[in-house]
């Protein structure tokens, strides 16, 4: 498996750097707060940014757009969330915090041009939530869809219990057993390779029961 670098923001959200070409070109998965630390690492190591893939539009995964100058891809179902972080931060931290609306370009990740990338559409946490599979590298970045010990919450703006159930039953079950999963928060030592099919189905049923 290729080397993947993880950065964790003060909001506990993860940003990953991945090089699908095994050279100096890197792509960012999500653009959380503290993105300057990631950019500094890229510059210090003479790397070149190919772009960013954003799993969903919540502020803790997309607010770094304001400090990002390269091409950014997102499911445009979450464009409103990505462009308006102040609304979400106000709910989270109180009305004392105000952030400008993001006015830059956002590209539809469903129309991306890269052969190395598969995009899974998995609404539930948000309407536009997606996971990114780098099939040749054996990894999937799940955002706030699937974590090591849980699934994403559905009680925030555009979240939906029924859509989460459908995504678990029809998207999560498509992930390759031997692929490593990298979630938007928490640990990334998550793989399905050692989970038998009955146990895997029990976990899916448990996740649905807990919604």
């Amino acid at each position: 498996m290729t080397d993947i670098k993880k950065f964790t923001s003060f909001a506990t959200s993860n940003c990953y750097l991945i090089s699908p070409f095994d050279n100096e070109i890197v792509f960012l998965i999500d653009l959380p707060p503290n993105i300057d630390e990631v950019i500094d690492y890229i510059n210090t190591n003479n790397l070149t940014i190919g772009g960013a893939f954003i799993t969903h539009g919540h502020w803790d995964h997309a607010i770094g757009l304001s400090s990002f100058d390269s091409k950014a891809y997102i499911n445009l179902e979450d464009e409103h969330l990505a462009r308006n972080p102040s609304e979400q931060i106000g709910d989270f931290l109180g009305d004392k915090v105000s952030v400008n609306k993001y006015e830059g370009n956002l590209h539809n990740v469903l129309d991306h041009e890269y052969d190395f990338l598969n995009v899974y559409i998995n609404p539930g946490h948000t309407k536009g939530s997606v996971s990114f599979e780098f099939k040749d590298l054996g990894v999937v970045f799940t955002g706030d869809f699937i974590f090591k010990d849980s699934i994403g919450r559905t009680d925030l703006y555009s979240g939906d219990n029924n859509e989460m159930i459908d995504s678990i039953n029809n998207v999560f079950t498509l992930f390759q057993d031997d692929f490593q999963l990298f979630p938007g928060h928490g640990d990334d030592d998550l793989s399905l390779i050692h989970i038998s099919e009955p146990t895997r189905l029990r976990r899916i049923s448990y996740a649905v029961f807990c919604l």
Side-chain angles (χ1 to χ4, degrees), residues 11-12 32 51 56 102 122-123 130 133 155 163 172 177:
T12 77
H56 63 290
Y102 176 68
N122 42 247
V130 297
E133 177 190 76
D155 59 333
E163 288 186 337
F172 175 63
D177 286 353

Side-chain angles (χ1 to χ4, degrees), residues 48-80:
T48 300
I49 297 175
F53 302 115
I54 301 173
T55 59
H56 63 290
H58 282 157
W59 72 273
D60 54 334
H61 295 264
I63 198 171
L65 280 165
S66 60
S67 302
F68 190 72
D69 296 327
S70 299
K71 203 169 184 178
Y73 296 85
I74 192 172
N75 183 350
L76 294 183
E77 289 278 6
D78 271 11
E79 181 176 9
H80 175 79

Side-chain angles (χ1 to χ4, degrees), residues 2 15 18 25 27 49 51 59 65 81 116 120 158 161:
T2 189
C15 172
I18 185 169
I25 299 175
F27 289 82
I49 297 175
W59 72 273
L65 280 165
L81 285 173
F116 58 75
Y120 290 101
S158 86
N161 283 350

Side-chain angles (χ1 to χ4, degrees), residues 35-46:
I35 199 68
D36 290 344
E37 177 187 357
V38 184
I39 302 301
D40 287 344
Y41 176 88
I42 291 170
N43 293 335
T44 299
N45 289 274
N46 297 313

Side-chain angles (χ1 to χ4, degrees), residues 69-115:
D69 296 327
S70 299
K71 203 169 184 178
Y73 296 85
I74 192 172
N75 183 350
L76 294 183
E77 289 278 6
D78 271 11
E79 181 176 9
H80 175 79
L81 285 173
R83 292 193 181 281
N84 297 278
S86 187
E87 298 176 10
Q88 306 162 56
I89 294 175
D91 292 339
F92 187 71
L93 298 176
D95 295 334
K96 295 179 181 180
V97 178
S98 179
V99 181
N100 291 333
K101 179 178 180 178
Y102 176 68
E103 301 285 1
N105 292 326
L106 288 174
H107 301 272
N108 190 354
V109 75
L110 304 183
D111 296 330
H112 74 83
E113 64 271 30
Y114 299 106
D115 293 335

